[in-house]
Amino acid sequence: MTGGTPIPSPSTTLRNRRTPMGNRLQSPTSPFFLGSNDDQLECAQSSAARVASTRRNVADPPPPADSGLSSDQIVELFRNCIKLASENKITQKNSWQLKLIDYLSEIIKVDAENAEPNFQKASCTLEAGVKIYSARVDAVHSEAYKCLTRMKQASAEYEQG
């Protein structure tokens, strides 16, 4: 004893520090705090989050833009693009004049008059749209390489001259 206060022995200090693992995990100050497991609360929170997410994703659609095409013109556009796609006549040059991709929503609206979805028409439209889009990507790719080639030629001429 020094100064009237007892000095704890090392074995007493160790015994006081050791607490069962379960008590340490249940302590809110512990970094391993597991908390209580309330399955009903977790289920309700998950359900509320799903509903909120669905509400955010299904926002009001934008007002329809005036396409300037009548339903007959849209049907004709659809038929023309499907014909070109089936004959493999979509090229890099004519892909920019084909407006199927621009009017996909109008094509769907024209078909929405039927109660049943037409999956064959949807698949053909999607296939034609993919062909048009890939031809556009190829066109941009080839134009970029042409530009790169011109830049290399100009650089080489500049270094020589």
Side-chain angles (χ1 to χ4, degrees):
M1 240 195 234
T2 57
T5 58
I7 298 177
S9 70
S11 62
T12 310
T13 308
L14 259 179
R15 239 181 289 130
N16 292 341
R17 276 194 218 158
R18 287 190 184 173
T19 57
M21 181 61 111
N23 290 347
R24 282 187 279 169
L25 291 178
Q26 295 302 321
S27 168
T29 58
S30 168
F32 303 108
F33 179 63
L34 297 177
S36 62
N37 186 13
D38 188 354
D39 290 337
Q40 290 176 343
L41 176 64
E42 290 176 11
C43 184
Q45 289 173 343
S46 174
S47 177
R50 255 191 320 273
V51 168
S53 173
T54 303
R55 286 185 184 148
R56 278 187 299 244
N57 291 341
V58 185
D60 293 332
D66 185 22
S67 65
L69 295 180
S70 69
S71 61
D72 293 336
Q73 291 172 325
I74 291 173
V75 170
E76 183 60 33
L77 170 72
F78 168 75
R79 286 185 183 149
N80 183 33
C81 290
I82 296 299
K83 179 184 172 204
L84 289 173
S86 66
E87 296 172 353
N88 285 327
K89 291 188 177 181
I90 296 176
T91 63
Q92 291 180 12
K93 290 182 181 179
N94 71 1
S95 66
W96 296 101
Q97 285 78 37
L98 301 174
K99 303 295 182 191
L100 179 75
I101 296 173
D102 301 331
Y103 292 102
L104 279 176
S105 61
E106 283 81 6
I107 290 171
I108 292 169
K109 287 177 188 173
V110 168
D111 195 38
E113 296 168 357
N114 300 334
E116 295 290 322
N118 188 344
F119 291 108
Q120 183 179 6
K121 183 176 182 181
S123 69
C124 291
T125 306
L126 183 62
E127 181 182 1
V130 166
K131 288 181 179 182
I132 292 169
Y133 193 80
S134 65
R136 289 179 181 182
V137 169
D138 290 343
V140 170
H141 179 261
S142 64
E143 286 298 316
Y145 267 99
K146 287 179 187 176
C147 183
L148 178 65
T149 303
R150 288 186 206 123
M151 289 172 61
K152 284 184 178 180
Q153 288 173 350
S155 175
E157 289 174 3
Y158 179 76
E159 289 176 359
Q160 289 178 358

